[in-house]
Amino acid sequence: MREGLILVAHGSRDPEWSRPFERLAAALEKKLPAAAVALAYLEYGPSLEEAAAALLAKGAGSIRVVPVFLGAGGHVKGDLPRLVAAARLSVPVSIDPPIGEQGRVIDAIAGEIAAPR
Amino acid sequence: MREGLILVAHGSRDPEWSRPFERLAAALEKKLPAAAVALAYLEYGPSLEEAAAALLAKGAGSIRVVPVFLGAGGHVKGDLPRLVAAARLSVPVSIDPPIGEQGRVIDAIAGEIAAPR
């Protein structure tokens, strides 16, 4: 069964705002060709429930939720688990730590900032 | 003259929220030992003006502002340039593109999400 991957971001009414998340989804589709990838937004975009339904329709047998947030506050600690629970999905679901809590992500960002320009 | 580097993030009343940004500042202090690094927040933390004053007191002869935002909406496009202008700094100031608009940052994040766990 395919793994379903939902990248969840905050969302904004500004359409340019979501560009990095769209790039991230495209990069992950290349890196994980066997997975089904979808974007979801807390505001102004497909909801977690809509993204999950799209992945189930594509044959996902499990869903991994990746919070694409640097800082973990109420959205990551409160809203997201609540939305996952409310979706009552029929397949196993896991929630990753937010990307900002992953040391290698922070190191990679530091490396880019420090790189000679 | 030292370069001053201000990492600007959104900020949150939750103190855990700022942990990744503190890690990022610590990583950059190691990677760029000649630079003076400070954190600033739009809300709930040292302001851009306070961070700049701290860096000038440490001998910074220029200031580079790095927006530590993945999505670029009103905060990055509106608030940040306004705050920089309002600070009327006495040294040259530059503003980087937000980290989410830097393709290699997105690739690095994708690499971490795709890495075997």
Side-chain angles (χ1 to χ4, degrees), chain A residues 3 5 7 12 14 16-21 23-24 27-28 31-32 64 66 68-74 77 94 96 99-117, chain B residues 3 5 7 12 14 16-21 23-24 27-28 31-32 64 66 68-74 77 94 96 99-117:
Chain A
E3 183 183 53
L5 195 65
L7 306 173
S12 161
D14 182 339
E16 276 185 32
W17 189 90
S18 45
R19 203 161 47 190
F21 306 95
R23 264 191 217 156
L24 185 60
L28 280 164
K31 282 180 196 286
L32 298 172
R64 175 180 163 205
V66 181
V68 190
F69 287 77
L70 292 172
K77 294 192 270 187
S94 64
D96 277 17
I99 60 161
E101 295 290 330
Q102 299 183 34
R104 292 194 306 179
V105 168
I106 298 300
D107 283 347
I109 295 172
E112 292 311 320
I113 296 172
R117 289 167 308 154
Chain B
E3 183 183 49
L5 194 65
L7 306 173
S12 161
D14 182 339
E16 275 186 32
W17 188 90
S18 44
R19 206 161 46 190
F21 306 96
R23 266 193 217 152
L24 184 61
L28 280 164
K31 281 180 197 287
L32 299 171
R64 175 182 162 203
V66 182
V68 190
F69 287 76
L70 291 172
K77 295 192 268 187
S94 64
D96 276 18
I99 61 161
E101 296 290 330
Q102 299 182 35
R104 292 193 306 177
V105 168
I106 297 301
D107 283 345
I109 295 172
E112 292 310 322
I113 295 173
R117 291 167 305 153

Side-chain angles (χ1 to χ4, degrees), chain B residues 15-103:
Chain B
E16 275 186 32
W17 188 90
S18 44
R19 206 161 46 190
F21 306 96
E22 287 158 8
R23 266 193 217 152
L24 184 61
L28 280 164
E29 278 172 349
K30 275 197 190 157
K31 281 180 197 287
L32 299 171
V37 180
L39 281 165
Y41 297 98
L42 300 183
E43 293 176 3
Y44 303 106
S47 67
L48 187 118
E49 205 164 339
E50 288 164 341
L55 294 183
L56 294 178
K58 287 182 182 174
S62 64
I63 289 186
R64 175 182 162 203
V65 176
V66 182
V68 190
F69 287 76
L70 291 172
H75 291 311
V76 170
K77 295 192 268 187
D79 299 344
L80 192 54
R82 216 163 23 236
L83 286 169
V84 169
R88 297 172 177 257
L89 298 172
S90 54
V91 297
V93 183
S94 64
I95 306 181
D96 276 18
I99 61 161
E101 296 290 330
Q102 299 182 35

Side-chain angles (χ1 to χ4, degrees), chain A residues 13 43 46 75 89 94 97 101 115:
Chain A
R13 77 189 72 204
E43 293 175 4
H75 291 311
L89 298 172
S94 64
E101 295 290 330

Side-chain angles (χ1 to χ4, degrees), chain A residues 35-57:
Chain A
V37 180
L39 281 165
Y41 297 98
L42 300 182
E43 293 175 4
Y44 303 105
S47 68
L48 185 116
E49 207 165 338
E50 289 165 340
L55 294 184
L56 294 178

